[in-house]
């Protein structure tokens, strides 16, 4: 069997980093971990190829080679996924789909031959067994969650790694918390399911063997869902693994209660974690209470963020406006909070209700659902009628984004962060393209840009006050360029 694994193109979103990646001559953020994992679950004797539309084109020759196409996508990739399906149909190639888009919207794709939904570890073997018998069904789904101790290492060799900035690996699935707007627990459950240290070290070893030295993103829904296992097994193993190796900085997603555990934070930094994305959502306690985000309540959120920054972690944050408890003062509150916290990468979105969430059910009951979920929670759209009124919310959101990513305010925020931040000992791998990115940034941001004064202000301040953080300041200046482009495109 010849299996063609296809990953559709992403639009220009906050996390696509499209405008920043150009500076380091990379084509995409990271290869599709879901498809590389599916490839490893397929029979070893089958031939597999990966076409990631974010780095290459899909050719007619690719389709002519394939006996079957395996397609994975998120909702934001819907338009590109539809094009792929049309081309496969025209070429007469059978299409098997899986991943978050199809798990949530299977009904919208009449041309797909087989849906292998939820987690592939459970559903794919059923499909393969029926296929072997010559009787594959149209839909395979399950309410169960697999033990991921059985999950094989992703087949890295299918991906053209040199085109990517980072690589994803996964230690756990699921999250113990119950935020009403998040669909993770519906997709992956409450009880964090984890891999063993042996599995993680084997995955890192196989990556190391490919020559990879750049950053690695642990794509866990909440990396600290099982703190005990982290402290006793995983982090000590990672600390041991990195001895004598260079590069390989890690990033991940975690809940804010990480800040309450100095030992866990210290071990993470020692293991090489440099960045953590935290769902902060809002400084409005009434709204945190409304959505059930109890872990963010009864704490000084700014101080929690600063504690992580002082420990050596760059904190990125997710924020939401438009809760029922939000009044129009929320936009200023969010702005002040984000500026004070020094969260440079602040993904702010309007409240949306994805399928499968408690919020979706409530909005349905209250007749407040209005349209299809766009799948991009930071594109200035929503599928619900907000209490404060859609126009007021949209206008406030627009102004908030414009203020947060205005050159002067952005530079101030970066400086607030650099002032607080204690860089970890483990540093990223310096490559020729990083040096070139610096020169490109001088030309594009320091000479050609109308905002060039802010660029020089940031670099000047860093050279005087935190010279060791100079490469980070350049990176964040480049990020600012990307964020402004995306905000201009979608929101402002
Ligand atoms: C890593 C990640 C990212 C990375 C993506 C890296 C990449 N190139 O893949 C980054 C940070 C870029 C990202 C960005 C975004 N993301 Co994201 N992301 C995740 C995250 C945390 C992990 C995904 C992952 O790699 N999982 C590990 C692999 C092994 O799991 P998997 O892909 O689901 O695959 C398994 C099954 O689904 C199945 N499977 C998957 N594909 C296929 C295909 C076939 C044929 C078969 C048989 C089976 C199968 O088998 C696999 C093994 O079980 C998920 C949350 C989650 N836990 O799923 C959110 C998630 C996928 N992201 C989400 C969203 C909304 C976004 C953004 C739109 C956010 C934003 N506003 O910008 C952006 C859009 C991307 C962009 N570039 O523009 C949503 C998607 C919702 C949806 N239904 O579409 C999720 C589910 C989070 C959530 N809370 O809802 N994301």
């Amino acid at each position: 069997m010849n299996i063609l694994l296809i990953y559709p193109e992403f639009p220009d979103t906050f996390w696509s980093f499209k405008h920043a990646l150009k500076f380091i001559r990379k084509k995409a953020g990271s290869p599709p971990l879901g498809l590389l994992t599916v490839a490893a679950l397929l029979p070893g004797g089958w031939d597999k190829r990966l076409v990631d539309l974010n780095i290459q084109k899909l050719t007619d020759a690719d389709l002519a080679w394939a006996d079957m196409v395996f397609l994975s996508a998120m909702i934001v990739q819907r338009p590109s996924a539809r094009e792929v399906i049309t081309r496969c149909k025209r070429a007469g190639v059978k299409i098997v789909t899986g991943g978050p888009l199809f798990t949530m919207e299977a009904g919208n794709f009449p041309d797909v031959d087989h849906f292998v939904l939820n987690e592939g570890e459970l559903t794919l073997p059923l499909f393969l067994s029926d296929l072997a018998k010559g009787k594959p069904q149209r839909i395979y789904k399950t309410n169960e969650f697999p033990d991921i101790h059985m999950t094989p290492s992703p087949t890295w060799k299918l991906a053209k790694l040199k085109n990517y900035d980072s690589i994803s690996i996964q230690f756990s699935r699921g999250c113990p918390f119950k935020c009403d707007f998040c669909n993770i627990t519906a997709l992956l459950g409450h009880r964090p399911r984890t891999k063993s240290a042996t599995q993680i070290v084997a995955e890192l070893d196989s990556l190391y063997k490919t020559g990879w030295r750049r950053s690695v993103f642990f794509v866990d829904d909440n990396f600290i869902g099982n703190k005990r296992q982290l402290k006793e097994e995983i982090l000590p193993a990672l600390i041991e693994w990195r001895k004598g190796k260079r590069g390989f900085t890690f990033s991940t997603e975690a809940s804010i209660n990480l800040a309450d555990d100095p030992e866990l934070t210290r071990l993470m930094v020692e293991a090489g974690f440099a960045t953590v994305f935290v769902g902060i959502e809002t400084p409005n306690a009434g709204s945190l209470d409304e959505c059930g985000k109890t872990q963010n309540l009864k704490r000084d959120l700014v101080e929690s963020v600063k504690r992580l920054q002082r420990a050596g972690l760059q904190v990125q944050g997710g924020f939401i406006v438009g809760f029922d408890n939000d009044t129009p003062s929320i936009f200023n509150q969010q702005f002040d909070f984000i500026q004070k916290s020094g969260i440079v990468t602040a993904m702010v979105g309007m409240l949306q209700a994805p399928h499968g969430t408690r919020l979706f059910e409530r909005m349905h009951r209250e007749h407040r659902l209005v349209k299809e979920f766009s799948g991009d929670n930071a594109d200035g759209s929503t599928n619900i009628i907000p209490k404060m009124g859609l126009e007021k919310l949209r206008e406030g959101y627009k102004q908030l984004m414009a203020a947060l990513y205005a050159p002067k305010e952005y530079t101030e925020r970066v400086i607030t962060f650099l002032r607080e931040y204690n860089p970890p000992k483990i540093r990223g791998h310096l490559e020729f393209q990083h040096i070139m990115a610096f020169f490109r940034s001088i030309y594009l941001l320091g000479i050609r840009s109308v905002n060039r004064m802010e660029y020089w202000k940031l670099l000047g301040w860093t050279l005087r006050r935190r010279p060791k953080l100079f490469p980070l300041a350049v990176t964040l200046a480049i990020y600012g360029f990307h964020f402004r482009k995306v905000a201009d495109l979608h929101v402002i």
Side-chain angles (χ1 to χ4, degrees), residues 7 10-11 13-16 29-35 37-38 41 70-76 96-101 103-104 116 118-121 124 168 170 173 182-184 187-188 217 219-221 253 347 373 375-378:
Y7 201 49
F10 281 114
T13 63
F14 188 87
W15 289 117
S16 71
S30 51
L33 180 61
L35 278 179
T37 306
V38 166
L41 289 164
F70 273 47
L71 181 65
S72 173
M74 298 187 205
I75 293 176
V76 277
V96 182
T97 62
L101 167 65
T103 296
M104 300 193 108
V116 181
N118 305 105
E119 291 170 70
E121 287 85 346
L124 191 56
S168 310
Q170 191 177 41
R173 293 184 196 162
C182 176
N183 57 357
I184 280 301
L187 281 170
L188 299 161
F217 178 17
V219 295
D220 295 29
D221 308 304
E253 302 182 26
M347 177 181 74
F373 175 50
D376 179 353
N377 49 324

Side-chain angles (χ1 to χ4, degrees), residues 27-91:
K27 291 187 177 163
S30 51
L33 180 61
L35 278 179
L36 296 179
T37 306
V38 166
L41 289 164
L42 292 174
W46 290 8
D47 277 336
K48 297 142 206 155
R49 286 185 194 165
L50 172 71
V51 171
D52 177 354
L53 294 179
N54 297 288
I55 65 162
Q56 71 206 98
K57 296 233 178 312
L58 173 65
T59 64
D60 290 341
D62 290 328
L63 291 172
W65 171 84
D67 294 314
M68 267 191 190
V69 158
F70 273 47
L71 181 65
S72 173
M74 298 187 205
I75 293 176
V76 277
Q77 291 159 290
R78 197 193 278 130
S80 173
R82 283 200 191 286
E83 281 172 23
V84 171
I85 293 167
T86 308
R87 283 193 62 188
C88 292
K89 265 291 112 12
R90 223 181 283 145

